[in-house]
Amino acid sequence: MALPSPEPRANLRAYRGSSVISRGGSRTQNVTCAKLSSSCVRQASGTLLWHLGRFGLVLAELDRPDEAGACFEELHTLADALDGGSRARGFAFAHLAVGYARLGMREQAAGCYDKLLPFRGMVSPILVDRGLAVASGG
């Protein structure tokens, strides 16, 4: 049965690509991962906030800091606009803390700490507590 939205398939491809990177895939596989993740972001429409963090992390891993930074900037803007208790906000700021740290942007990572505190213990594709640890400088 086909799904009416392209997002689930694009999301699955992006996760597969992230898996390739985490296992130390080849440069060709990593470029393919970036393309798949980009496809996921372009197709995300109303769910963009759920995809930008992972895409930014993929770009950071591929040593594309300017593109990763732009992704994180857009994600930060979207996350700041959400209600303080929104699960999507916690998910986004966990990605931002880890992503900023990966880019060496320690001050921006630290700026995520207070925004992540209400979500400590939340488990999602990225652990909020890992984002808290990174944001605290740990």
Side-chain angles (χ1 to χ4, degrees), residues 4-5 9 15-16 20-21 25 31 37 43 67 80 84 98 101-102 105 109-110 118 129 132 135:
S5 169
R9 181 173 288 123
Y15 274 115
R16 284 181 182 157
V20 167
I21 286 177
V31 169
S37 292
Q43 295 174 10
E67 294 168 87
D80 262 342
V98 172
R102 209 168 268 171
M105 302 168 74
D129 290 355
L132 280 165

Side-chain angles (χ1 to χ4, degrees), residues 5-94:
S5 169
E7 289 179 28
R9 181 173 288 123
N11 198 29
L12 178 61
R13 288 180 184 148
Y15 274 115
R16 284 181 182 157
S18 296
S19 174
V20 167
I21 286 177
S22 69
R23 291 189 317 257
S26 71
R27 177 78 178 146
T28 301
Q29 288 173 316
N30 290 347
V31 169
T32 299
C33 170
K35 288 178 183 174
L36 291 172
S37 292
S38 177
S39 164
C40 181
V41 168
R42 281 194 310 274
Q43 295 174 10
S45 63
T47 62
L48 184 60
L49 181 124
W50 294 97
H51 302 285
L52 277 174
R54 183 181 56 249
F55 184 49
L57 291 172
V58 166
L59 291 169
E61 287 299 315
L62 294 175
D63 198 27
R64 294 163 63 178
D66 293 339
E67 294 168 87
C71 240
F72 296 141
E73 184 177 318
E74 184 175 2
L75 179 59
H76 200 139
T77 299
L78 291 170
D80 262 342
L82 293 174
D83 175 81
S86 166
R87 182 175 174 86
R89 182 179 170 95
F91 178 80
F93 276 105

Side-chain angles (χ1 to χ4, degrees), residues 94-125:
H95 275 90
L96 287 167
V98 172
Y100 286 145
R102 209 168 268 171
L103 293 178
M105 302 168 74
R106 296 288 176 201
E107 189 174 316
Q108 289 86 339
C112 296
Y113 186 81
D114 288 337
K115 295 174 183 185
L116 274 173
L117 272 177
F119 304 99
R120 67 182 165 264
M122 182 178 99
V123 176
S124 65

